């Protein structure tokens, strides 16, 4: 499958059309950004690592009958995906307090949540991706009531599968961000990526951060963290 036009270039990925109108090519870049693009770097091998990690998670979910846009891996840093109409929502699922939840609530980082917390952020660079509740989502007509209920329930299912799989690899799934889309047949599927760029992943026994927070917090060893995750999840596959 050949790339045609570049449809979109984001901070960490590019999206291309193909000769098949229903299929697109997602290319993972080595670039990393944080704090609204204020911090930038190119991290060698990040695109390759993220492609492989995302592929393992998508294949795991598909095997559990959770539909995703993933079709096949095309090269070291490209995958073929189904074309979808993406909901302009970042769906964040949290199992342990960290990041903006700690800032917003005052709860200490590392506090385990009895039940997962699901949050929605509006995908809008202009507004700085604000937190939305279900009434805001209705007001802005970003998703209807049934769609939102389905997105919530799929996000919970995905959390259960990933949390268990990662626990077997000695990794705590602290939190992660998902994006969903609608196919031409009005089916809601998981889109985007699942990588250490979009998840917080901590070593179960030491609490060591293995994800993009190493980049955000200038901790060093960013790619070593991603490599460690890939090594462990490949073993559990
Ligand atoms: P927080 O709201 O605490 O900053 O992020 C919660 C989780 O969602 C983290 O795992 C974080 O990596 C992910 N996340 C939220 N927004 C974004 C985003 O715009 N880009 C990326 N790569 N991850 C995000």
């Amino acid at each position: 499958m050949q790339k045609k036009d570049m449809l979109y270039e984001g901070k960490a990925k590019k999206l291309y059309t193909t000769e098949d109108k229903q299929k697109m090519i997602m290319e993972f870049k080595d670039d990393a950004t944080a704090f609204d693009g204020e911090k930038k770097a190119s991290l060698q091998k990040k695109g390759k690592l993220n492609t492989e990690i995302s592929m393992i998670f998508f294949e795991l979910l598909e095997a559990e009958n959770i539909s995703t846009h993933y079709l096949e891996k095309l090269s070291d840093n490209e995958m073929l995906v189904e074309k979808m109409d993406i909901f302009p929502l970042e769906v964040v699922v949290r199992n342990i307090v960290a990041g903006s939840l700690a800032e917003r609530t005052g709860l200490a980082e590392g506090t385990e949540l009895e039940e997962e917390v699901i949050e929605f952020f509006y995908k809008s660079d202009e507004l700085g991706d604000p937190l939305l509740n279900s009434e805001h989502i209705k007001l802005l007509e970003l998703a209807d009531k049934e769609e939102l209920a389905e997105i919530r329930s799929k996000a919970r299912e995905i959390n259960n599968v990933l949390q268990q799989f990662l626990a077997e690899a000695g990794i705590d799934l602290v939190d992660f961000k998902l994006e969903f889309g609608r196919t031409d047949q009005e089916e809601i599927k998981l889109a985007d990526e699942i990588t250490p760029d979009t998840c917080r992943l901590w070593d179960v026994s030491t609490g060591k951060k293995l994800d993009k927070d190493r980049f955000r917090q200038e901790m060093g060893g960013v790619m070593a963290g991603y490599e460690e995750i890939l090594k462990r999840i490949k073993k559990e596959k």
Side-chain angles (χ1 to χ4, degrees), residues 26-230:
M26 188 176 260
E27 182 189 310
F28 288 77
K29 306 197 290 182
D30 283 348
D31 297 347
T33 66
F35 314 119
D36 271 338
E38 263 175 54
K39 185 175 158 64
K40 280 190 195 144
S42 176
L43 301 169
Q44 219 191 344
K45 292 212 310 204
K46 183 166 86 79
K48 182 175 186 288
L49 288 162
N50 277 352
T51 307
E52 205 171 342
I53 292 168
S54 222
M55 179 197 78
I56 293 173
F57 287 140
F58 281 139
E59 286 181 353
L60 170 74
L61 294 171
E62 292 283 352
E64 297 287 334
N65 291 317
I66 298 169
S67 314
T68 76
H69 71 158
Y70 173 76
L71 296 170
E72 63 179 296
K73 188 168 174 240
L74 295 177
S75 74
D76 270 1
N77 66 341
E78 293 167 317
M79 55 172 66
L80 191 66
V81 298
E82 195 175 338
K83 183 177 177 292
M84 291 204 293
D85 194 9
I86 305 291
F87 292 96
L89 293 171
E90 293 190 340
V91 181
V92 171
V93 184
R94 302 178 185 271
N95 299 305
I96 297 176
V97 175
S100 72
L101 182 66
E103 284 166 24
R104 220 173 317 112
T105 59
L107 291 169
E109 180 179 273
T111 309
E112 293 208 16
L113 299 165
E114 240 171 73
E115 215 179 293
E116 77 272 85
V117 169
I118 299 181
E119 297 171 338
F120 300 98
F121 294 85
Y122 189 9
K123 264 169 69 92
S124 161
D125 286 339
E126 207 183 350
L127 299 174
D129 298 348
L131 179 69
L132 296 181
N133 66 24
S134 53
E135 290 177 34
H136 300 139
I137 293 170
K138 190 174 161 202
L139 173 74
L140 297 169
E141 298 180 348
L142 304 180
D144 67 30
K145 205 174 153 195
E146 288 73 30
E147 287 170 333
L148 198 60
E150 195 175 330
I151 289 172
R152 251 186 225 282
S153 128
K154 283 187 191 291
R156 275 204 186 90
E157 269 180 71
I158 292 165
N159 186 41
N160 291 339
V161 172
L162 295 184
Q163 206 180 12
Q164 196 184 329
F165 174 75
L166 285 163
E168 282 158 18
I171 298 167
D172 268 332
L173 177 59
V174 175
D175 57 32
F176 57 105
K177 186 255 307 181
L178 301 172
E179 294 187 22
F180 290 88
R182 212 188 286 109
T183 65
D184 282 355
Q185 288 77 41
E186 302 288 311
E187 196 188 340
I188 294 178
K189 292 188 180 187
L190 179 65
D192 200 45
E193 66 180 294
I194 307 177
T195 66
D197 275 10
T198 60
C199 302
R200 285 196 174 93
L201 302 163
W202 296 350
D203 177 77
V204 167
S205 45
T206 63
K208 184 179 174 187
K209 295 177 180 175
L210 301 168
D211 56 76
K212 194 178 165 190
D213 272 352
R214 301 198 70 84
F215 172 73
R216 297 186 186 105
Q217 297 170 13
E218 310 247 2
M219 299 169 82
V222 186
M223 285 304 96
Y226 286 40
E227 269 165 10
E228 176 69 26
I229 289 162
L230 178 59

